[in-house]
Amino acid sequence: LSVIDGLTQIPNRRRFDEYLASEWTRHFRSGKPISVVLCDIDFFKRYNDNYGHQAGDDCLQQVAAAIAESARRSSDLAARYGGEEFAVILPETDAEGAFAISEEIRQNIETLKLDHVKSKINDYVTLSSGVATMIPGDDNSPDALVAIADEGLYEAKATGRNRSVGKDLS
């Protein structure tokens, strides 16, 4: 089975899940923090509706490349999580470091200057992100880490979009 997303050419959700489980086990033993960033393109449905699906695919490819570029270390993993949502696993990264990478990703997307006239917040494509950091233990799980990052993403969207919201549970 494929572990690369056919459109964006970065790892897919299957690979994300496998890698998170593996890194979780490793971090459980080491006692070091692991962070996850969940990113969502703001108002992507409006983008697709306005520019068409081919332009939407091109946008997804450019966003994926910019996100992957920010996940520089060989142990980092940027993946297409689903639709217009992306995820980054940051092993041995504390909350401060993960938030900094999330903000770098967000700024890299702004730098692309991809026109988005149907966005309610900007003339260009923007990204909202949720960031979560944990030290794996008996009282938490990889699913809990992702759920907390998702809560941060929801909060970023609810408070204006084009921002990162972090949750540190380490």
Side-chain angles (χ1 to χ4, degrees):
L1 295 171
S2 177
V3 295
I4 299 296
D5 178 66
L7 176 65
T8 62
Q9 296 302 303
I10 65 172
N12 61 17
R13 173 72 180 268
R14 174 187 303 276
R15 179 63 183 133
F16 172 87
D17 290 340
E18 292 170 351
Y19 191 66
L20 182 57
S22 170
E23 286 299 300
W24 187 267
T25 300
R26 190 171 71 81
H27 286 69
F28 188 92
R29 289 191 304 266
S30 72
K32 293 184 178 177
I34 184 169
S35 296
V36 167
V37 178
L38 289 183
C39 314
D40 192 64
I41 298 173
D42 295 323
F43 303 109
F44 188 71
K45 183 181 180 327
R46 290 168 165 262
Y47 186 95
N48 250 356
D49 291 347
N50 186 61
Y51 296 103
H53 291 285
Q54 182 59 53
D57 287 352
D58 292 344
C59 175
L60 289 170
Q61 290 168 337
Q62 290 183 61
V63 168
I67 292 170
E69 184 181 303
S70 296
R72 285 188 271 287
R73 299 176 309 171
S74 61
S75 60
D76 297 343
L77 180 88
R80 185 171 182 197
Y81 198 69
E84 70 273 12
E85 198 168 28
F86 296 88
V88 183
I89 299 171
L90 301 167
E92 297 185 21
T93 304
D94 63 15
E96 184 179 337
F99 189 81
I101 290 170
S102 178
E103 278 295 290
E104 177 183 325
I105 290 169
R106 194 183 61 73
Q107 290 167 5
N108 285 348
I109 301 310
E110 285 187 344
T111 301
L112 293 173
K113 298 265 189 230
L114 299 172
D115 288 333
H116 191 348
V117 298
K118 295 295 182 177
S119 172
K120 292 183 176 182
I121 59 166
N122 200 308
D123 292 334
Y124 301 106
V125 169
T126 58
L127 204 67
S128 295
S129 300
V131 185
T133 302
M134 277 185 182
I135 296 174
D138 291 326
D139 59 341
N140 54 31
S141 68
D143 290 342
L145 178 63
V146 171
I148 292 163
D150 195 45
E151 288 173 15
L153 175 58
Y154 180 81
E155 186 177 330
K157 289 178 172 190
T159 58
R161 301 184 191 243
N162 192 26
R163 66 191 66 221
S164 300
V165 173
K167 308 280 183 178
D168 181 5
L169 298 167
S170 59

